[in-house]
Amino acid sequence: MKIKICFYLVLVFISRLAFAQPDEEFRKLKELYPNNEVVMVSLVKTIDISMKNDDFVIKYDQYEERIYLNDNAKHYDKSSIFMSDIFDLKKYEAYTLSPEPKKYKKYKVDRFTLSDLSQGNIFYDDSKELNYSFPLLTKGAKTVEILKYELKEPYFLPIFSVSPYMPYQNVEFKITVDDKIELEILELLFSEQEGLILNEEKKSGRTTKTYTFSRSKPVKYERNAPSHLYMSPKILMRIKTFQTKNGSKNLLSTLDDLHEWYCKTISPSMVESDEITMLADTITHGMSDTLEMASAIFNWVQKNIKYIAIEDGERGIVPEKAKEVYFHRYGDCKGMSNLAYHLMRSKGIDARLAWVGTRSLPFKYTEVPTPNVDNHMICALVYKNEVILLDGTHSFLPFGMPSPFIQGKEVLVNGKDCKSYQIEVAKIVPANLNQTLDSCFVQISGRDLVGRGKAIYTGFSAMEVRELLTDRNSKDRLKIFREVLLRGNNKFTLDSFQLEKLDNINEPLVLNYYFKIPDYVIINKNESYINLNLDRTDLPGKFPKTREVAYEKRFSDSESNVVVLELLENQKVTTLPTAASFKKGNLKFENSYSNLNNSIYRKHYFEHDALILETKDFEEWNQAVEEIIKNYNQQLVIITQ
Amino acid sequence: MFSNVKAQELSFNPKLPEKPEIESLVTEEMLKEYDDQTILDERFVEYNFDAKGEFQEIMYVHKIKYANSDEAIEQFNKIYIYLGQNNELLDYDARVILKNGTIKNLGKDALREGTDEDGDKYKYFAVSGIEKGSFIEYYHLIKRPPSVTGNSMILQDKKPTRVSRFRLAAPENLVFVFKANNGYTQPERDTVVKDVNVWKAETKEIGKSESEVFGNAGGNRMSMVYHLYENLATRKRNFYNYATVSQNVFERLNTEPSKGAAKKIKKFIESSEIKYASSKREKIMAIEHAIKSGFNYLEFSDPRLSDIEYILNNKVLNDYGAVYLFYQIFKTLGYETEIVLTSNRYNLRFDEKFESYAFLDKYLLYFPDSKEYLMPTAVFYRLGLLPPAYIHNHGLFIRTVSAGGIQTGAGKIKFIEALGSDKTSHEINCLVKVNESNDSLIVQSEQIYTGYYAQVYQPVFDYVESEKMKEFEESIVESISDNIKIKKINVEHKGGKYLMDKPLIIKATFTSGDLIETAGDKIIVKLGELIGPQVEMYQEEKRTHPVENDYNRCYVRQLTFEIPNGYKCTNAESTIINVTPFPDKSAYFTSEMKQEGNKIIVDVKEYYNRIFFSEEEFNNYRDVINAAANFNKVALILEKV
């Protein structure tokens, strides 16, 4: 992913506009960006890293200026500023530049309100937000936000990036660092940037690197798009070593250093207690097999500890003590992992803490050993030289499966007692393990179709259905399953259903159901027409040519469905629909019909074995969708004698 | 008014009793009924004097809740106490009572504080250690600025409540009046308590308030409205009547704007788009559009935001500022308007028989000559169209009267009628052909939207980015059917300024392979799907609310199908569906069919002419709704000649 930067010497059309009159500036920008409503006219991110008495002093400033090109401007008035213990906000200012004939008039934001980041159930997060509104946002107005931070943790340097969703000009990333600090700067995804200039200057024992660039064509926002970090140009920084009075020291020179620091951060949480031992004894009472005990403990944590989401990014890094999590019955990913870890440890099980970045972060420990790689913690179980990943934040995740959002990601698994570590890759669960197996038997009754069915859900598919059912009463569940099953058309009536193994999350979920679809059968004299594709795969549809970004899925899955139409003696089939079977890329489709002892069997299989559909695959995908629809649109013809 | 009464203590003991009052309220059997229920809900209001002799209002809330599911436990993790900006928390306590009877006092540490986005502080109990089958009991005592002019209290929520108690206490010279709504017990004077006036009401077995399609769950909740009626000490009564408030509101809105503001209003009216509007109606619409689409509505109560000069200079205002601005502009133009105050019928219906300021929640303006309303604060609505919450409800209409040469306001309660069904229509006209290869339909469509249906789209066009415009237009056509290929599209009257003036017209030509199926050598044309997916009520459930529509409406469709050469249609009459269960045609569905040459022409009419349908009428109403959903499934069979 690392790219080489070419050195252009192109005239960027920077500041010629900076002193322009508002109407002239507006006109020029409107001409350049007729289809965009906001343009980032300037974004300057500056970091200054120095040493004072062997301590780091890190200053991080940001200047952001935007212009609004149409009447939607007023909808951009709300904004907020992030701050936390590590990102100590020292100064902030925001204002609107309102266009007047000759100049811009400045209107300062005079009201900032502090709020906790308390969406959901976050209790003890130290992150806070300053919320405010820009006044007087009209067409042609500009907004400016100026922030100054002091960073309290040299391990945690910000990622410099810029949103790909609006055009930008005059972006400047500036990094100044003492020469006694060895800083690695990694530039990613700069290839699409225009007018890129890199400047390096050395002066009185300090080096300053400056990147300036712009981009006139933004990425269009689409649903199910991968995180913006896969599209935006960005700089990752890491302090490798630094000089002190006592010689050179490592900070994040290698992954070893990151691991060592992580070990320091978790050490206060490594507290054993009798309560935890007693709890572990209770949970595993009567068990002796390691996996059985581990599974029981993991399930107990999933079921009894409420997960409290913590925002991505710069968050607290110390897990809560196991005893506290147990007492409160809630925790974030770190607290839950720490509790599972201590419970297992007290039973002599070789559990470990492990760090991982979710799929929204496109970084690897082996490439950039910094805390920016991860945003999540899980528990890992080492059993017979195999590492089993356990993510307690998903209440219905089967034992042994990674959570969907870490599939394919590097996991930093702590060694025993922090003496070593290993990198594992969370496996990508193949489509055939996340399956919906459905078979139903139907009969014609007048114009109605009446039937019974059995659906079996496995892997993530089972997890997803269990998630839907959490704490729903039977009336709600009927509604949910009516939506989930919805056979034929919306006249589908679910008469009753019954679940098996709902609470045993390590086993497939089984659903038995009885239904009817009134007026589904089309009657034409002595002929009846029925479309037996009662359960068409819910496809994301065709992708328009205009879509420029990939399509991301939570997990790969597959469906295998059988519909059996049991005919009466006086009913005979005259036409069976044609079968189809093909494989296009990662998509597999089969649909076939057969007549066996006057029962019609329709067998259907669909699989899409990929987490991401790249833009280059869209055309093939669209063709497949078209073929599938064509195949679905065939009815069975039955003659009644 | 109150100074001749002495300071006093609370007339009840707010502390939690040593032994929780559970057994007397609920049996084991009752607990089994719901995993999540409120056992006791006490709301006491007390007016008295503090130590300094200041009149004050104390609000006491005491609840016992039962949690027997993960979801319930999750909800009770955090119990909010709403304080707003002026309220003060005087006392509180909370405890968890476990299944085995153990009482866990949460102590003062359980209280935490947060700040929301608007800077309002809130407090909450962080309740930990709840297990399934626990009771959570808490109370809090809040001092708030006394309000005696008209209050409302909602006494039914989404959880069932076993016992609800309402109590109001006031110094002995003050007499309050009450109106209990939707089945709550009317309070009665408690004559046992001396030296203080006490009114009490207890209601048992309050069911949960559940939302239903076409129902008004919010407005049907049990509630209490009350205000101070009489001061025995001064022998004055009926202070808070509509005559007084009419004068006050009138005077406030007629406050003469400053000279500068008056000038600005004149300048605003002189601006081109308003000046050249020819009729009065057009002028009003131009003014409304200029303000609603160009000004920024903010939610603060900053006095500048209701200062006309500031508003017109800066294009920012708040809700009251909007009302004042509109009113003053119309006054300057000499347009007669009545001020209307009403309530949100989805929250608290205006009770025309009980005079209370609690119903005077939102401002509307009424033009008596054209009988049209305008809501200054509803930015997505325009003259003639009110948000559904403010129609089919009573309101206080304040008109200008002259008495002795002085102008003042005179109030009268009138009903705010809903618009007729012909004012909100969705019309679809389609000419449908089969393509040469008989596997796709070619559809020339025209859709015409008026009233509330146009309201969904027309104002939104003002905010759609130009590069997303085509996608937005196509998405409207795609609402008829997914998987269509749009060949041509033309949209007329895009933008909020056309709302209630010109209909939104969308003409599109598209093809669809989804709407055509084969059955042997027959072709099945899913003609009914061209009216788009319909609301359906097939799955039968127990109905809890009568029907209360958002607005009256109608759907008119003409589908013309051209039978391809060499084919005949054998079931054209299946398109005829007539459901007219109401003799007065309050709601009906009809579809008529005629054949002209090779054309089948189907005319569909679906009308809802009434807002309210009683529980007895519900089945008939559902039949009309489902008739449209049935038509949606109509399919034509084409056979070779």
Side-chain angles (χ1 to χ4, degrees):
Chain A
M1 215 175 293
K2 190 172 171 178
I3 56 133
K4 247 175 119 183
I5 293 198
C6 313
F7 289 83
Y8 293 109
L9 265 179
V10 178
L11 267 181
V12 206
F13 82 12
I14 341 180
S15 331
R16 251 186 298 149
L17 284 177
F19 306 100
Q21 290 189 351
D23 55 346
E24 192 189 335
E25 178 170 13
F26 176 79
R27 198 175 46 74
K28 282 194 171 157
L29 287 166
K30 188 82 194 169
E31 231 166 68
L32 279 166
Y33 309 107
N35 290 325
N36 298 102
E37 50 189 36
V38 197
V39 175
M40 178 88 76
V41 279
S42 175
L43 174 70
V44 182
K45 288 180 186 251
T46 313
I47 194 163
D48 184 302
I49 310 172
S50 59
M51 305 281 311
K52 195 176 171 187
N53 303 329
D54 288 352
D55 269 339
F56 282 96
V57 180
I58 306 173
K59 289 183 176 156
Y60 168 38
D61 299 348
Q62 183 176 306
Y63 174 91
E64 194 182 303
E65 183 179 328
R66 303 176 180 206
I67 190 164
Y68 303 85
L69 299 180
N70 67 19
D71 286 330
N72 277 358
K74 62 178 191 170
H75 299 287
Y76 288 90
D77 66 324
K78 292 225 159 39
S79 192
S80 65
I81 301 168
F82 173 84
M83 58 204 270
S84 71
D85 287 353
I86 294 174
F87 280 66
D88 188 6
L89 186 66
K90 287 294 181 195
K91 257 186 172 168
Y92 54 92
E93 186 186 356
Y95 52 84
T96 303
L97 291 172
S98 182
E100 290 190 355
K102 297 250 157 163
K103 58 174 179 34
Y104 287 104
K105 196 172 173 192
K106 184 167 163 181
Y107 291 89
K108 276 194 164 196
V109 173
D110 51 10
R111 187 185 145 109
F112 292 86
T113 55
L114 189 67
S115 76
D116 315 337
L117 283 177
S118 62
Q119 290 100 334
N121 284 318
I122 301 169
F123 278 100
Y124 301 110
D125 195 359
D126 72 329
S127 306
K128 292 206 180 346
E129 248 176 0
L130 274 177
N131 299 293
Y132 65 92
S133 279
F134 284 110
L136 291 175
L137 272 196
T138 53
K139 183 162 81 182
K142 289 185 180 183
T143 56
V144 176
E145 188 190 78
I146 304 167
L147 309 175
K148 285 182 187 300
Y149 292 97
E150 238 176 74
L151 303 193
K152 300 295 186 192
E153 188 55 83
Y155 290 91
F156 252 122
L157 300 181
I159 298 174
F160 279 7
S161 75
V162 50
S163 165
Y165 293 121
M166 67 172 87
Y168 45 81
Q169 356 171 294
N170 309 325
V171 175
E172 183 179 306
F173 292 165
K174 190 173 177 181
I175 303 153
T176 303
V177 62
D178 284 4
D179 287 342
K180 32 183 179 171
I181 300 168
E182 185 193 356
L183 183 76
E184 184 194 70
I185 300 171
L186 196 62
E187 303 109 0
L188 298 168
L189 292 182
F190 274 83
S191 61
E192 295 207 6
Q193 306 313 310
E194 297 152 17
L196 180 67
I197 298 177
L198 196 150
N199 188 33
E200 190 169 322
E201 202 181 282
K202 285 185 180 285
K203 206 172 156 189
S204 22
R206 314 199 72 204
T207 303
T208 301
K209 259 192 169 178
T210 316
Y211 301 75
T212 45
F213 55 93
S214 59
R215 182 175 184 172
S216 52
K217 198 177 170 303
V219 176
K220 206 170 110 200
Y221 185 78
E222 304 275 4
R223 75 193 164 92
N224 285 68
S227 112
H228 67 92
L229 288 172
Y230 286 83
M231 303 173 232
S232 54
K234 55 201 159 298
I235 288 177
L236 263 74
M237 289 166 271
R238 146 170 89 109
I239 299 172
K240 293 173 84 170
T241 62
F242 59 100
Q243 304 290 331
T244 67
K245 288 177 200 115
N246 307 320
S248 172
K249 285 194 171 170
N250 282 4
L251 194 84
L252 285 173
S253 175
T254 61
L255 185 50
D256 295 352
D257 295 332
L258 178 66
H259 173 252
E260 195 185 318
W261 180 58
Y262 273 176
C263 277
K264 263 182 224 155
T265 64
I266 60 170
S267 70
S269 317
M270 297 299 111
V271 187
E272 279 162 28
S273 71
D274 293 345
E275 287 95 334
I276 295 299
T277 311
M278 273 153 52
L279 175 63
D281 287 345
T282 317
I283 297 168
T284 60
H285 184 74
M287 300 176 189
S288 56
D289 179 68
T290 305
L291 279 189
E292 190 190 2
M293 289 197 290
S295 173
I297 288 170
F298 176 59
N299 284 350
W300 189 92
V301 172
Q302 284 175 295
K303 211 171 159 188
N304 293 284
I305 305 298
K306 292 281 157 230
Y307 172 54
I308 295 159
I310 297 270
E311 299 281 311
D312 285 354
E314 308 82 6
R315 70 282 187 247
I317 38 186
V318 185
E320 200 174 1
K321 292 185 185 71
K323 190 177 144 185
E324 299 290 312
V325 178
Y326 170 44
F327 179 74
H328 293 306
R329 295 283 203 281
Y330 51 71
D332 65 2
C333 60
K334 301 181 297 295
M336 290 176 91
S337 301
N338 195 31
L339 174 60
Y341 167 84
H342 275 91
L343 287 168
M344 290 190 204
R345 281 284 165 137
S346 81
K347 296 307 296 177
I349 300 169
D350 187 4
R352 317 278 181 86
L353 288 179
W355 296 263
V356 59
T358 57
R359 283 158 57 194
S360 61
L361 300 178
F363 313 119
K364 288 181 170 174
Y365 290 111
T366 45
E367 289 173 0
V368 234
T370 77
N372 285 324
V373 172
D374 60 51
N375 55 357
H376 192 45
M377 183 182 267
I378 58 175
C379 187
L381 169 68
V382 180
Y383 180 71
K384 293 186 177 163
N385 293 326
E386 220 186 295
V387 178
I388 301 169
L389 305 178
L390 306 172
D391 187 344
T393 63
H394 285 61
S395 298
F396 304 100
L397 184 69
F399 182 79
M401 286 179 80
S403 40
F405 64 24
I406 63 166
Q407 290 179 93
K409 294 285 301 180
E410 277 188 352
V411 185
L412 172 62
V413 181
N414 197 10
K416 256 188 182 170
D417 307 315
C418 263
K419 293 210 173 83
S420 62
Y421 62 86
Q422 66 195 85
I423 294 287
E424 291 287 322
V425 176
K427 70 171 176 219
I428 297 176
V429 182
N432 61 6
L433 295 183
N434 305 319
Q435 213 169 11
T436 303
L437 296 152
D438 185 285
S439 47
C440 60
F441 295 81
V442 292
Q443 285 175 327
I444 299 171
S445 162
R447 296 187 60 204
D448 302 350
L449 210 60
V450 183
R452 62 189 193 282
K454 182 180 202 138
I456 301 168
Y457 303 92
T458 71
F460 290 146
S461 301
M463 179 182 89
E464 216 163 54
V465 178
R466 287 189 172 104
E467 282 170 353
L468 283 176
L469 299 178
T470 322
D471 289 312
R472 299 307 193 97
N473 60 29
S474 53
K475 189 178 158 193
D476 288 347
R477 285 179 177 184
L478 189 81
K479 273 190 199 164
I480 290 168
F481 278 123
R482 181 175 179 257
E483 290 297 319
V484 169
L485 294 168
L486 203 72
R487 304 281 184 247
N489 60 40
N490 64 9
K491 276 202 159 183
F492 172 76
T493 311
L494 182 60
D495 293 325
S496 66
F497 72 93
Q498 176 241 327
L499 287 165
E500 290 170 29
K501 301 190 176 152
L502 176 63
D503 295 324
N504 191 348
I505 61 171
N506 295 328
E507 299 247 4
L509 177 69
V510 181
L511 168 73
N512 296 296
Y513 58 95
Y514 293 82
F515 67 97
K516 58 176 168 287
I517 316 171
D519 304 325
Y520 186 67
V521 182
I522 301 173
I523 295 180
N524 185 22
K525 288 168 275 185
N526 65 339
E527 287 186 341
S528 304
Y529 310 134
I530 304 170
N531 192 321
L532 280 189
N533 298 294
L534 301 178
D535 40 21
R536 303 175 183 208
T537 298
D538 196 9
L539 301 161
K542 288 192 260 185
F543 296 103
K545 286 209 171 80
T546 50
R547 181 164 177 138
E548 297 165 322
V549 296
Y551 182 93
E552 196 181 40
K553 298 197 309 178
R554 196 179 178 205
F555 53 81
S556 298
D557 59 348
S558 62
E559 287 176 25
S560 177
N561 328 58
V562 178
V563 176
V564 182
L565 173 65
E566 298 162 320
L567 293 175
L568 299 174
E569 264 185 32
N570 62 340
Q571 295 170 327
K572 290 280 171 285
V573 167
T574 61
T575 312
L576 278 181
T578 52
S581 169
F582 61 82
K583 190 171 188 299
K584 279 190 176 14
N586 298 313
L587 182 153
K588 210 167 148 187
F589 176 78
E590 283 165 22
N591 204 17
S592 66
Y593 299 82
S594 58
N595 185 349
L596 207 74
N597 302 327
N598 218 25
S599 283
I600 311 305
Y601 287 74
R602 172 266 188 181
K603 289 183 188 164
H604 172 265
Y605 184 75
F606 176 88
E607 167 186 305
H608 185 232
D609 202 4
L611 289 180
I612 205 150
L613 216 82
E614 300 290 352
T615 45
K616 63 175 172 48
D617 304 328
F618 286 172
E619 206 179 314
E620 196 177 42
W621 173 271
N622 289 350
Q623 283 169 7
V625 171
E626 212 149 281
E627 277 183 49
I628 292 172
I629 290 172
K630 239 179 208 164
N631 183 265
Y632 281 158
N633 286 350
Q634 299 178 80
Q635 308 219 1
L636 191 69
V637 182
I638 295 158
I639 270 196
T640 309
Q641 286 153 344
Chain B
M1 190 191 298
F2 311 108
S3 54
N4 51 353
V5 185
K6 279 182 192 164
Q8 52 190 214
E9 301 283 306
L10 283 177
S11 64
F12 62 94
N13 178 12
K15 300 282 178 206
L16 294 180
E18 201 170 308
K19 195 171 175 299
E21 179 197 2
I22 292 172
E23 279 157 30
S24 63
L25 297 167
V26 72
T27 63
E28 279 296 323
E29 288 307 304
M30 289 156 85
L31 289 180
K32 279 182 197 151
E33 270 182 274
Y34 305 99
D35 285 340
D36 187 351
Q37 50 179 305
T38 303
I39 305 303
L40 179 67
D41 179 357
E42 289 187 320
R43 320 267 189 103
F44 295 179
V45 186
E46 182 140 345
Y47 295 97
N48 61 21
F49 293 86
D50 66 10
K52 290 183 210 143
E54 294 277 338
F55 189 60
Q56 63 175 1
E57 179 183 336
I58 308 285
M59 178 75 204
Y60 165 78
V61 175
H62 173 211
K63 294 195 186 198
I64 304 177
K65 295 183 172 189
Y66 175 66
N68 195 30
S69 70
D70 289 333
E71 193 188 23
I73 292 172
E74 188 139 338
Q75 284 179 10
F76 298 150
N77 267 337
K78 222 172 175 183
I79 293 170
Y80 290 92
I81 304 172
Y82 293 98
L83 286 180
Q85 286 177 331
N86 301 315
N87 299 345
E88 183 189 339
L89 184 66
L90 298 179
D91 195 13
Y92 63 90
D93 200 1
R95 60 190 181 190
V96 176
I97 301 133
L98 298 180
K99 211 172 183 174
N100 63 13
T102 313
I103 296 178
K104 283 165 93 173
N105 288 309
L106 295 175
K108 298 288 174 198
D109 291 342
L111 196 78
R112 302 184 199 281
E113 195 171 283
T115 320
D116 68 13
E117 275 183 23
D118 295 327
D120 283 346
K121 281 202 172 358
Y122 62 86
K123 293 192 166 153
Y124 60 89
F125 293 119
V127 182
S128 56
I130 316 175
E131 291 166 6
K132 281 189 188 176
S134 303
F135 296 91
I136 296 92
E137 181 175 22
Y138 63 91
Y139 82 87
H140 47 83
L141 210 53
I142 290 166
K143 176 182 169 176
R144 55 188 194 185
S147 162
V148 293
T149 60
N151 293 333
S152 68
M153 193 184 279
I154 303 292
L155 293 160
Q156 185 175 17
D157 64 23
K158 290 184 173 146
K159 311 273 178 297
T161 301
R162 296 299 180 177
V163 178
S164 165
R165 292 181 190 138
F166 171 88
R167 182 184 190 272
L168 187 143
E172 59 184 334
N173 59 318
L174 299 183
V175 178
F176 278 72
V177 285
F178 304 85
K179 176 75 201 299
N181 299 312
N182 298 321
Y184 201 85
T185 313
Q186 182 67 20
E188 281 181 22
R189 186 76 174 268
D190 181 346
T191 48
V192 180
V193 190
K194 298 292 171 208
D195 306 327
V196 50
N197 288 344
V198 172
W199 290 266
K200 276 159 88 170
E202 180 175 295
T203 305
K204 285 185 174 168
E205 299 308 316
I206 300 177
K208 54 181 168 180
S209 164
E210 275 186 295
S211 57
E212 266 177 345
V213 60
F214 304 118
N216 178 1
N220 293 341
R221 285 175 301 177
M222 292 187 188
S223 63
M224 186 73 73
V225 181
Y226 57 92
H227 61 264
L228 173 65
Y229 182 72
E230 187 172 6
N231 184 348
L232 298 171
T234 59
R235 301 192 172 197
K236 282 190 180 150
R237 57 160 65 173
N238 195 14
F239 316 99
Y240 306 113
N241 58 57
Y242 287 159
T244 311
V245 82
S246 297
Q247 286 170 19
N248 292 344
V249 167
F250 181 87
E251 276 162 27
R252 200 170 158 211
L253 279 180
N254 278 281
T255 308
E256 210 57 48
S258 67
K259 270 192 188 149
K263 251 191 202 158
K264 285 275 172 193
I265 290 179
K266 287 227 165 72
K267 200 176 150 201
F268 179 73
I269 302 170
E270 288 294 307
S271 66
S272 58
E273 66 262 45
I274 294 162
K275 194 177 172 187
Y276 298 113
S278 53
S279 67
K280 176 178 168 186
R281 188 167 199 280
E282 278 178 23
K283 222 166 220 176
I284 296 171
M285 291 184 75
I287 290 163
E288 188 180 20
H289 188 67
I291 295 171
K292 288 185 174 176
S293 70
F295 287 40
N296 210 348
Y297 282 69
L298 299 177
E299 283 154 23
F300 311 139
S301 56
D302 191 314
R304 286 177 301 180
L305 298 176
S306 50
D307 174 78
I308 289 182
E309 198 173 351
Y310 185 87
I311 294 173
L312 290 171
N313 275 336
N314 297 314
K315 295 189 165 186
V316 284
L317 35 58
N318 62 12
D319 280 5
Y320 187 76
V323 176
Y324 186 41
L325 176 67
F326 272 98
Y327 186 82
Q328 282 296 334
I329 289 174
F330 296 140
K331 192 178 167 188
T332 309
L333 284 165
Y335 295 169
E336 187 192 351
T337 51
E338 291 183 17
I339 306 154
V340 184
L341 282 153
T342 186
S343 65
N344 179 334
R345 70 177 159 121
Y346 298 137
N347 188 36
L348 185 73
R349 279 192 197 86
F350 195 111
D351 184 341
E352 80 274 27
K353 296 200 183 90
F354 188 76
E355 222 163 282
S356 168
Y357 290 7
F359 304 125
L360 310 182
D361 185 29
K362 281 281 186 296
Y363 284 95
L364 316 173
L365 295 177
Y366 177 65
F367 297 92
D369 51 354
S370 62
K371 297 193 169 50
E372 285 191 297
Y373 296 88
L374 181 155
M375 187 162 186
T377 51
V379 289
F380 285 106
Y381 288 82
R382 292 294 186 272
L383 177 66
L385 199 71
L386 291 174
Y390 305 104
I391 60 167
H392 196 72
N393 199 6
H394 286 85
L396 176 65
F397 287 64
I398 303 166
R399 65 188 169 90
T400 311
V401 288
S402 290
I406 296 166
Q407 286 199 330
T408 184
K412 190 176 177 186
I413 298 167
K414 289 195 255 182
F415 194 64
I416 305 166
E417 294 282 356
L419 295 175
S421 59
D422 55 326
K423 294 279 192 287
T424 294
S425 61
H426 179 213
E427 197 176 324
I428 300 179
N429 300 309
C430 285
L431 177 63
V432 187
K433 294 178 198 170
V434 178
N435 73 344
E436 285 182 359
S437 48
N438 288 346
D439 57 3
S440 178
L441 290 188
I442 304 163
V443 183
Q444 275 172 276
S445 71
E446 178 189 53
Q447 293 190 71
I448 303 170
Y449 295 86
T450 67
Y452 288 100
Y453 287 131
Q455 190 273 331
V456 177
Y457 298 116
Q458 273 177 328
V460 181
F461 278 102
D462 297 335
Y463 301 98
V464 177
E465 279 183 67
S466 48
E467 74 164 349
K468 288 181 186 149
M469 186 59 88
K470 193 158 170 263
E471 201 180 319
F472 178 65
E473 291 176 357
E474 290 183 350
S475 73
I476 305 176
V477 179
E478 279 159 4
S479 66
I480 294 183
S481 172
D482 304 335
N483 278 319
I484 57 172
K485 254 189 217 156
I486 297 173
K487 304 277 181 202
K488 215 168 76 184
I489 188 163
N490 176 41
V491 184
E492 286 171 51
H493 309 139
K494 306 188 243 188
K497 66 178 175 187
Y498 294 108
L499 182 58
M500 295 304 282
D501 189 30
K502 301 246 162 57
L504 176 70
I505 303 175
I506 302 172
K507 291 179 183 160
T509 305
F510 61 86
T511 60
S512 163
D514 244 12
L515 301 175
I516 189 160
E517 301 201 344
T518 54
D521 57 356
K522 279 109 190 158
I523 300 172
I524 313 281
V525 175
K526 298 171 164 176
L527 192 72
E529 288 198 13
L530 285 169
I531 67 169
Q534 303 289 303
V535 183
E536 46 82 18
M537 300 170 100
Y538 290 130
Q539 187 93 26
E540 292 207 21
E541 282 166 19
K542 199 185 162 287
R543 184 80 191 177
T544 52
H545 297 286
V547 170
E548 188 173 331
N549 283 310
D550 291 331
Y551 40 78
N552 296 317
R553 61 205 188 272
C554 72
Y555 308 87
V556 179
R557 291 83 162 71
Q558 186 177 71
L559 308 176
T560 305
F561 178 68
E562 240 178 70
I563 303 169
N565 281 338
Y567 282 88
K568 61 175 180 185
C569 178
T570 57
N571 70 336
E573 64 295 335
S574 69
T575 55
I576 301 170
I577 298 175
N578 287 306
V579 179
T580 52
F582 297 99
D584 65 347
K585 293 202 157 184
S586 301
Y588 66 91
F589 180 96
T590 60
S591 69
E592 291 167 356
M593 186 271 299
K594 61 185 175 194
Q595 268 181 290
E596 286 176 4
N598 68 337
K599 281 183 183 152
I600 295 172
I601 302 164
V602 185
D603 278 294
V604 182
K605 288 193 169 63
E606 185 186 354
Y607 276 76
Y608 299 92
N609 293 320
R610 231 200 295 155
I611 298 290
F612 190 83
F613 291 84
S614 69
E615 270 157 86
E616 294 75 46
E617 291 172 314
F618 175 73
N619 284 344
N620 286 338
Y621 182 83
R622 192 188 56 206
D623 290 345
V624 178
I625 292 285
N626 283 348
N630 288 343
F631 185 85
N632 186 227
K633 276 121 210 145
V634 163
L636 297 178
I637 304 165
L638 304 181
E639 266 179 39
K640 279 192 175 148
V641 183

